[in-house]
Amino acid sequence: MTSSPRSGTVPPPPPTKLHPAHTLLSRAHSPDTASRIFTDKVKNKPLLLQPTSSADRDKRALRRRIRLRKKEYYLRKRKPKPLSAREKRELGLLTLKKEEVKYDIYKGLHELWTGYMLEILGFVKDGQTVQKGALANVVTAQSHGSLLASADFHGAELEVVACSDAGKVGIRGIVVRDTKYTFVVVTVKDEVKTLPKRDTVFRYEIPLPERESDSRNDDPREEEVKDKEDTKGPRMLVFELHGNQFEFRPAERANRKFKWKAMDYL
């Protein structure tokens, strides 16, 4: 007995997915009209390609040049970003080379600083000594205190007269770096010393310029002062700087208003 193969039914093909445009046309027209319109207007619609004209290329190049020029102007006028402390250390901006640590090198800086301080105090103007009476040039805390506190001390020759660390008393040198909490000085022995400002009193001197003698001045008091100056040598202005009240960076100190504070650490 033979068995015939089982006759199976063939599954119908999946329905074709219509184009969205054909679906919309079939809603408004008959099937034949919708198929004709879809074939003529959508399926067989010619695509006309037109090459870009030279005028469009010129306009695009012009816009690009204008954009690049504006970018270049912005980058040129923009303020550069300051270096961070890590970048300064990596570039070696905070290190002093051994061949640069010479006291004689910084003598010129100290002379420039002396002239700078004389201009601040009003003894020199435009490189010329201001002619005043010997008793008229009086430097007081009320008149010159704020000027001295906001001055730059790079180039000043400081001497430690009091310090919580007794080993630092007597150190004298020219300031080569002024940080928030320390003074870095170069001594006469070509040594770099870092002096803390905390609980330290510094002293610095400013030599006064010589005044031209005025023959018309017959004041006996000024004659007496002049005789004393001739016997003692050049006149010096001596100041003391308290480090506890000076713990600011030079840039911050320039625009800062200082107030009188108690000195309990003395």
Side-chain angles (χ1 to χ4, degrees):
M1 181 177 180
T2 60
S3 60
S4 62
R6 184 179 299 177
S7 60
T9 59
V10 179
T16 58
K17 187 176 181 180
L18 297 178
H19 194 276
H22 191 280
T23 304
L24 294 176
L25 289 172
S26 61
R27 294 180 181 179
H29 303 281
S30 62
D32 296 337
T33 305
S35 299
R36 180 177 55 81
I37 295 175
F38 176 76
T39 303
D40 297 340
K41 301 294 184 180
V42 178
K43 189 175 181 180
N44 297 331
K45 181 181 179 180
L47 179 61
L48 302 178
L49 299 178
Q50 183 179 3
T52 305
S53 62
S54 60
D56 295 336
R57 289 197 301 268
D58 295 341
K59 291 180 180 179
R60 185 165 59 250
L62 177 61
R63 290 194 299 268
R64 184 174 181 272
R65 286 197 301 269
I66 294 175
R67 184 172 64 253
L68 293 177
R69 191 175 300 173
K70 288 182 178 179
K71 183 179 180 181
E72 181 183 357
Y73 177 81
Y74 171 74
L75 294 176
R76 186 173 64 252
K77 294 296 183 180
R78 187 175 60 179
K79 186 177 180 180
K81 183 180 179 181
L83 297 176
S84 62
R86 176 180 295 179
E87 292 174 343
K88 290 180 181 179
R89 288 193 297 268
E90 292 176 353
L91 294 175
L93 300 179
L94 302 179
T95 57
L96 293 174
K97 298 181 180 179
K98 189 175 181 180
E99 58 272 12
E100 296 177 354
V101 184
K102 302 293 182 182
Y103 183 82
D104 295 335
I105 295 178
Y106 297 101
K107 277 186 177 180
L109 177 63
H110 176 62
E111 294 176 359
L112 292 175
W113 179 83
T114 302
Y116 158 73
M117 294 299 293
L118 290 176
E119 290 185 1
I120 288 180
L121 297 176
F123 290 94
V124 176
K125 185 177 182 181
D126 298 333
Q128 301 294 330
T129 303
V130 178
Q131 299 297 326
K132 293 183 180 180
L135 300 179
N137 286 341
V138 179
V139 179
T140 61
Q142 288 76 14
S143 60
H144 298 83
S146 59
L147 297 176
L148 292 172
S150 60
D152 189 356
F153 279 82
H154 287 91
E157 189 169 7
L158 300 181
E159 180 183 1
V160 180
V161 295
C163 183
S164 57
D165 184 1
K168 296 187 181 298
V169 177
I171 296 178
R172 185 185 184 94
I174 298 176
V175 177
V176 296
R177 185 180 302 149
D178 180 6
T179 64
K180 186 174 182 179
Y181 298 108
T182 61
F183 280 119
V184 180
V185 301
V186 175
T187 63
V188 181
K189 297 181 180 180
D190 298 336
E191 297 177 348
V192 179
K193 299 289 185 180
T194 301
L195 306 176
K197 296 180 181 180
R198 174 71 63 176
D199 298 336
T200 306
V201 180
F202 303 91
R203 178 183 296 165
Y204 61 95
E205 299 177 350
I206 301 176
L208 292 178
E210 297 181 359
R211 296 191 307 271
E212 298 178 0
S213 59
D214 190 353
S215 58
R216 295 175 299 176
N217 194 354
D218 298 331
D219 193 345
R221 295 181 300 172
E222 295 192 3
E223 292 293 337
E224 182 180 357
V225 172
K226 184 178 179 181
D227 294 339
K228 292 182 179 180
E229 291 174 356
D230 294 339
T231 57
K232 294 182 180 180
R235 299 175 301 161
M236 303 292 290
L237 288 176
V238 182
F239 300 93
E240 286 190 352
L241 188 152
H242 295 265
N244 284 18
Q245 303 184 20
F246 222 68
E247 292 182 331
F248 302 99
R249 295 182 178 89
E252 298 174 355
R253 196 172 63 242
N255 300 322
R256 187 178 182 85
K257 293 183 179 180
F258 287 84
K259 299 180 181 179
W260 297 99
K261 298 180 181 179
M263 296 180 290
D264 300 333
Y265 54 90
L266 295 179

